[in-house]
Amino acid sequence: MSGAILTLNAGSSSLKVALYAECGERQLARGHADRIGPDGTLTLTDADGAALPVGAGPVATHRDALDRVLETLARARPEDRIAAIGHRVVHGGIAHEAPVPVTEGLLDVLDRLSQFAPLHQPHNLAGIRAAEAAFPGTPQVACFDTAFHRTHPFVNDTFALPRRFYDRGVRRYGFHGLSYEYITGELARTDPALARGRVIIAHLGNGASMCGIRGGRSVASTMGFSALDGLPMGTRCGQLDPGVVLYLMTEEGMDAAAISDLLYTQSGLLGLSGGLSNDMRTLEASAAPEAREAIDYFTFRIRRELGAMAAALGGVDAMVFCGGIGENSAPIREAVCAPLEWMGVVLDNAANRAHARVISTAGAPVQVMVVPTNEELVIARATRALTGGEAAQT
Ligand code: ADP
């Protein structure tokens, strides 16, 4: 019987599950439940990408999705023994700069942080509870999206509010840290000189953010206190004048729940495209002017943030695109980069269309790259390292 590491990444309506060999970095299977609820879907593939039969049945809850993945894996890979389980946890608060083993005390602390990430943290914690129930006594590890950003300097950690709010935890935490950690590790492995320099990473998926990195450490990020700030996203608004929230309360009579729903689930690409779609592929295929405007706003805000990040870092040596949009959409990368020749960004259009690893011209001052991210592998490495398996590899 061989040991395996299970990783869980529970979003508000999605669950990503991966299975890794306990030794080495080989992925044995990966599952993805999407739109969990009445229309939920579930796919599971083996190490070669072949579909494993998940059968029919509801994907109404995260628990349904996990149960069906585990049942299918037990049938398809009866030789595996789950040796440890790693979880993506969106919020680790100010105390956690690295992954930690899950304990009852930790869950209490993380539960209190749910107030800072109400749409994500409860699902992450539910995933840990579900895994505890399915594998009692198996070691579990929590890996935090905020941890990578704990190196932010004070000026990028604070808001200009009275200091008591900072002390209570009202800070710019930054998210997508597992993705940034993976990309930073990849750069250190393949381009060590570049990795020591000034790098801006754009993680562009359904959630989207950017991170400015100097010497391998996070200096600035577009996401702040919540996963709402910064770039517009599939359904989230991105940067917003707080005066708009005051207006929504006082003039439109909206309460906190209605505003939360508006900003998290009805805004971003979906809202700007007039309700057409939150999905970039659908918008790119659409002839509707609102779809074009939504895309234009998305790429404009990325360029604005690039300028701000460049200033925060004191220049840029490399830019990396990752995430579903960043890795797959040549038109979006071109729309972002083409107007940036003034800052040394010179795209090689053929390389960009071919999704090459380096998509800038040889000798351009800023090296532009496409690097597929792998948050699951970061979780698996940390889980292995903290539960007595092989030392973490970066
Ligand atoms: P999540 O943040 O949920 O992990 P992903 O990183 O999977 O999301 O990114 C999902 C986004 O990537 C969607 O907007 C999807 O349309 C977009 N995307 C995926 N493939 C392509 C493609 N070939 N061209 C344009 N956009 C794409």
Side-chain angles (χ1 to χ4, degrees):
M1 183 165 272
S2 51
I5 290 175
L6 187 71
T7 66
L8 295 190
N9 175 352
S12 51
S13 62
S14 67
L15 179 70
K16 291 179 186 162
V17 184
L19 191 69
Y20 285 87
E22 194 179 8
C23 301
E25 306 216 316
R26 201 160 60 89
Q27 193 179 74
L28 307 172
R30 71 182 299 139
H32 187 182
D34 212 6
R35 290 189 220 99
I36 290 174
D39 303 321
T41 58
L42 176 65
T43 56
L44 185 63
T45 51
D46 68 12
D48 302 318
L52 293 170
V54 285
V59 194
T61 63
H62 290 71
R63 188 62 205 259
D64 286 343
L66 181 62
D67 285 349
R68 279 179 55 195
V69 165
L70 295 178
E71 280 161 25
T72 310
L73 286 176
R75 272 197 309 274
R77 303 189 53 88
E79 71 281 12
D80 289 334
R81 173 187 57 85
I82 302 298
I85 304 162
H87 298 265
R88 178 184 183 187
V89 176
V90 99
H91 219 305
I94 53 176
H96 293 114
E97 297 178 2
V100 289
V102 173
T103 60
E104 270 309 311
L106 177 77
L107 289 179
D108 288 344
V109 171
L110 298 183
D111 205 22
R112 286 198 290 277
L113 291 170
S114 289
Q115 58 175 322
F116 293 154
L119 297 190
H120 294 90
Q121 192 88 341
H123 296 293
N124 303 153
L125 300 186
I128 295 178
R129 294 283 186 209
E132 262 176 359
F135 301 99
T138 302
Q140 302 200 61
V141 171
C143 304
F144 305 107
D145 256 331
T146 47
F148 186 72
H149 302 291
R150 296 313 305 138
T151 49
H152 278 176
F154 175 75
V155 288
N156 201 73
D157 201 33
T158 192
F159 299 102
L161 292 170
R163 290 193 84 109
R164 63 181 180 279
F165 291 103
Y166 183 81
D167 298 337
R168 284 178 205 161
V170 182
R171 303 183 184 199
R172 299 184 60 86
Y173 290 97
F175 298 91
H176 286 139
L178 301 175
S179 174
Y180 295 130
E181 184 178 334
Y182 177 80
I183 301 288
T184 308
E186 271 299 281
L187 279 188
R189 194 175 62 80
T190 59
D191 302 84
L194 216 51
R196 284 192 292 275
R198 301 156 299 180
V199 181
I200 300 175
I201 305 174
H203 176 111
L204 309 177
N206 232 334
S209 73
M210 288 163 58
C211 181
I213 293 170
R214 194 167 49 217
R217 292 162 77 90
S218 172
V219 170
S221 57
T222 57
M223 275 184 176
F225 176 66
S226 70
L228 277 177
D229 201 6
L231 302 179
M233 304 171 223
T235 60
R236 289 175 248 165
C237 58
Q239 190 272 327
L240 187 75
D241 179 342
V244 173
V245 177
L246 298 177
Y247 162 83
L248 295 173
M249 291 166 65
T250 57
E251 301 302 317
E252 301 263 342
M254 293 171 74
D255 63 11
I259 294 173
S260 172
D261 190 53
L262 177 77
L263 302 185
Y264 274 100
T265 70
Q266 300 174 40
S267 299
L269 297 174
L270 178 69
L272 263 182
S273 67
L276 190 63
S277 181
N278 64 315
D279 191 290
M280 185 56 82
R281 283 165 295 195
T282 307
L283 298 181
E284 285 185 337
S286 168
E290 292 85 356
R292 173 49 41 204
E293 282 172 354
I295 294 174
D296 286 348
Y297 182 76
F298 184 66
T299 55
F300 167 71
R301 294 301 309 202
I302 295 169
R303 281 199 306 279
R304 259 188 70 149
E305 293 293 344
L306 268 168
M309 287 278 170
L313 292 173
V316 196
D317 301 305
M319 255 179 68
V320 180
F321 286 97
C322 64
I325 300 172
E327 290 163 28
N328 295 302
S329 177
I332 293 291
R333 294 192 300 257
E334 185 180 345
V336 169
C337 294
L340 293 178
E341 284 209 21
W342 62 271
M343 64 179 273
V345 173
V346 189
L347 212 57
D348 175 334
N349 289 318
N352 183 40
R353 281 194 289 273
H355 306 290
R357 184 176 173 90
V358 177
I359 59 171
S360 49
T361 55
V366 177
Q367 181 158 319
V368 185
M369 306 172 76
V370 180
V371 181
T373 196
N374 195 340
E375 291 154 310
E376 276 70 30
L377 185 54
V378 173
I379 298 170
R381 285 172 177 164
T383 304
R384 183 188 306 127
L386 281 178
T387 56
E390 280 181 1
Q393 298 168 26
T394 50

